[in-house]
Amino acid sequence: RKRATWSSPGASTTANLAAGLFSPRDLALELGTEGYSPSLIRKIEYAGGNSSSFKQASEALKRLAKLPIDPKHVSRITERLGQERLVEREDDVKKFKAGTLKPRYQDVPSVAVVEVDAGKCQLRDEGSPRGVHNPHWGDTKVASFVTYPKPALQQDYQPDPPRAFLDRTTVRRLCSEMERIRSEATLGSHEKTPKPCNRTAAAPAKRKSPRPIMRTAVATTANVEAFGDLVATEAHHRNFHDAKTSAVIGDGGNWIGPFAEMHFPDSFQILDFLHLLVHLYAAAKSACPNMPSRSWPLYTALLTKAWQGKTKDVLAGMERHLDRIGAPAKDTPNDNPRSILARAIKYVRDNENRMKYPDYRRHGLPITSSLVESLIKQFNLRIKGSEKFWCRERVEGVLHIHDLWTLQLF
């Protein structure tokens, strides 16, 4: 018979190892099967869910918590706890559908916003022998739930576009970064990545956009239907359905509209303005290829009209230029200026009803999905990497552990 030893502050305990660590005092002391106290379990859970790897989590626990624990043990505990969280969440979904789920928070927010986006992670076959078998990419869907204060006045808090959106260097850098993240070549091969600007930065303008109060999040690798159930359940926990003003913000993906209509039919649907900016910049570059003296004024005109909610003027301006250069044929390459401009027109036309930006600002709503974009980056730091290949069940557990720690008070 093997024996296992663990320690707690001021004491040391030894128990027989039968079918795993066990002590008759586990329940009384609120200890898990690993024999760690609840406070240590929380530390292991946090490290395993938020470090870039289980090895790094093990090292952090050793150095910061003076807890020597093997990376595989961190992995087992983290993933088991993640699966327990997943079971709890699925139970909440069932109760929500049955109408018996009580909200976790009592306050009803004045302004409630759900931002949705999707990331990527590398998967491998379940139950395969040791090693990576059939590696492939999978989606991770993330939703951010943010509350805002009631607007002091029912007016547009920023009727003019931010200066950054009209600064050539800033816009080029922003578009280059977003296109690199999306791995899409929509700016054409002639567009070079802008170099950092060395000029002295202007003093930042006084903040005009609404300040967030609190954020929670959910994440999953499941399909859109299951993701929608998770999002609707968390929105119920936060009393989002009773908020005076609510909105769903997304990047214009073809799944977001039906998703919002099903789960938030009374909410505003908002197209993330930064994604629109990228399409307008690409459209202007394509309408006047290699002619910055013409393309930049066209971009600023389109951007300003979009910011002011003049969507029909935006469409008319781009369509005039497409008539001038000619519509793309079926075999026209995707990186051809005609194709890029035609895609931008379709993007705006498909999202025309989600571009009423002055109305959204008057209701105290944000018009970008920057919070969920930053959240995607946080999740990617944990689960995405050139050498990370997950079984779907394991990464699902880690996602649920990670999202446990995304409660944020601003």
Side-chain angles (χ1 to χ4, degrees), residues 275-287:
H275 281 83
L276 174 61
L277 179 152
V278 172
H279 280 80
L280 295 180
Y281 183 69
K285 295 285 292 183
S286 300

Side-chain angles (χ1 to χ4, degrees), residues 145-167:
F145 303 80
V146 189
T147 54
Y148 294 86
K150 180 181 178 180
L153 298 173
Q154 294 291 322
Q155 63 183 17
D156 188 346
Y157 59 78
Q158 190 167 3
D160 298 319
R163 287 177 296 174
F165 292 173
L166 300 176
D167 178 80

Side-chain angles (χ1 to χ4, degrees), residues 252-357:
N254 58 10
W255 63 275
I256 297 178
F259 160 87
E261 291 168 5
M262 175 176 290
H263 298 288
F264 303 94
D266 299 324
S267 300
F268 290 106
Q269 288 192 41
I270 303 177
L271 174 66
D272 171 52
F273 194 82
L274 294 180
H275 281 83
L276 174 61
L277 179 152
V278 172
H279 280 80
L280 295 180
Y281 183 69
K285 295 285 292 183
S286 300
C288 307
N290 300 315
M291 290 187 291
S293 61
R294 295 186 179 181
S295 63
W296 181 253
L298 175 59
Y299 159 76
T300 58
L302 294 174
L303 187 282
T304 301
K305 290 182 183 299
W307 185 267
Q308 297 171 348
K310 300 176 181 178
T311 311
K312 294 189 182 301
D313 292 344
V314 175
L315 281 170
M318 292 193 295
E319 287 170 348
R320 282 197 300 271
H321 285 281
L322 185 61
D323 291 340
R324 176 177 57 83
I325 67 175
K330 290 184 178 180
D331 58 348
T332 303
N334 288 333
D335 60 353
N336 184 280
R338 297 180 180 183
S339 299
I340 296 172
L341 182 54
R343 282 201 304 273
I345 292 173
K346 183 179 186 304
Y347 183 80
V348 172
R349 188 179 291 121
D350 291 345
N351 292 284
E352 185 174 0
N353 292 330
R354 304 181 181 97
M355 295 171 54
K356 302 172 183 177
Y357 297 113

Side-chain angles (χ1 to χ4, degrees), residues 369-384:
S369 58
S370 56
L371 291 179
V372 76
E373 293 282 348
S374 66
L375 199 58
I376 288 284
K377 292 181 180 179
Q378 292 179 39
F379 279 101
N380 284 348
L381 287 174
R382 179 61 189 94
I383 65 173
K384 188 178 179 181

Side-chain angles (χ1 to χ4, degrees), residues 29 56 71-72 87-88 102 108 192 199 213 221 249 251-252 257-258 302 318 325 348 383:
L29 297 175
Q56 186 181 68
K72 289 186 177 180
V87 171
E88 292 174 0
K102 295 182 179 180
V108 176
K192 297 180 180 179
R199 68 185 182 188
I213 299 174
T221 60
I249 306 180
D251 61 8
L302 294 174
M318 292 193 295
I325 67 175
V348 172
I383 65 173

Side-chain angles (χ1 to χ4, degrees), residues 17-53:
L17 185 65
L21 291 175
F22 173 79
S23 166
R25 295 285 294 165
D26 276 1
L27 294 178
L29 297 175
E30 297 184 354
L31 298 177
T33 56
E34 297 85 6
Y36 297 108
S37 68
S39 63
L40 285 179
I41 286 291
R42 285 193 291 270
K43 289 181 173 64
I44 296 170
E45 183 180 28
Y46 181 87
N50 289 271
S51 302
S52 62
S53 67

